[in-house]
Amino acid sequence: GACYGCRLWVARWLQTFGEALNEMSAMVSAESEHQALVDRVKFQQRSSDIAREGWRHYCGALADGVQDPQKHSSEFLLKFLELLETGQVPQAQEDYETRQIRSACPSLGGRQLELWMPESEVSVMKDVVNSNC
């Protein structure tokens, strides 16, 4: 009787242990698949300006600017890689228009310069113009 109970307990323990081992194996597999995607994204960024800028715009549009591939889901990384492979990498959405920049530079007489640039670069250009008088 006692031996049968021991065997039953051991059999249940082995079953439970085996199930836990399978779960751990699946988790390790998912982690290694995720790491492989992270590595692919990083490789693409190092290999291509298009991929690097595309990743920046993709993260800016869909992930609040978070660019660390490790912080994104496998699905997010896979979608980016698919877009990259099909040539549909996101591009900058800024439009280039003529912008006027007022200079405080005496040699320019405080005139306005008209330059062709995106709105996001206007403040930087003002600093450059005014610091190089």
Side-chain angles (χ1 to χ4, degrees):
C3 253
Y4 177 75
C6 291
R7 283 186 285 178
L8 188 58
W9 181 85
V10 168
R12 286 186 183 150
W13 183 86
L14 286 173
Q15 181 182 1
T16 303
F17 180 75
E19 290 169 358
L21 198 58
N22 286 340
E23 287 178 26
M24 287 175 41
S25 176
M27 287 172 46
V28 168
S29 177
E31 287 176 15
S32 63
E33 288 175 19
H34 181 74
Q35 188 58 50
L37 290 170
V38 168
D39 293 343
R40 280 181 59 198
V41 168
K42 288 181 176 183
F43 175 78
Q44 291 296 333
Q45 288 178 299
R46 287 190 301 271
S47 303
S48 159
D49 290 338
I50 291 171
R52 184 173 32 261
E53 286 302 304
W55 176 251
R56 189 171 65 84
H57 297 301
Y58 183 71
C59 292
L62 301 174
D64 295 325
V66 176
Q67 295 182 34
D68 181 355
Q70 194 72 45
K71 297 188 187 243
H72 295 290
S73 69
S74 294
E75 294 78 20
F76 186 85
L77 301 175
L78 193 56
K79 181 64 177 171
F80 172 75
L81 292 168
E82 289 171 359
L83 290 171
L84 186 61
E85 289 173 8
T86 59
Q88 299 175 16
V89 178
Q91 301 295 317
Q93 297 298 315
E94 297 180 303
D95 58 333
Y96 285 74
E97 295 181 12
T98 301
R99 309 288 184 199
Q100 291 188 340
I101 300 174
R102 179 169 293 282
S103 171
C105 186
S107 65
L108 292 174
R111 295 185 311 219
Q112 290 190 17
L113 304 174
E114 289 193 7
L115 301 171
W116 189 261
M117 67 179 54
E119 183 66 36
S120 63
E121 295 177 12
V122 170
S123 64
V124 174
M125 185 54 73
K126 284 181 183 178
D127 292 341
V128 170
V129 167
N130 291 326
S131 67
N132 288 308
C133 286

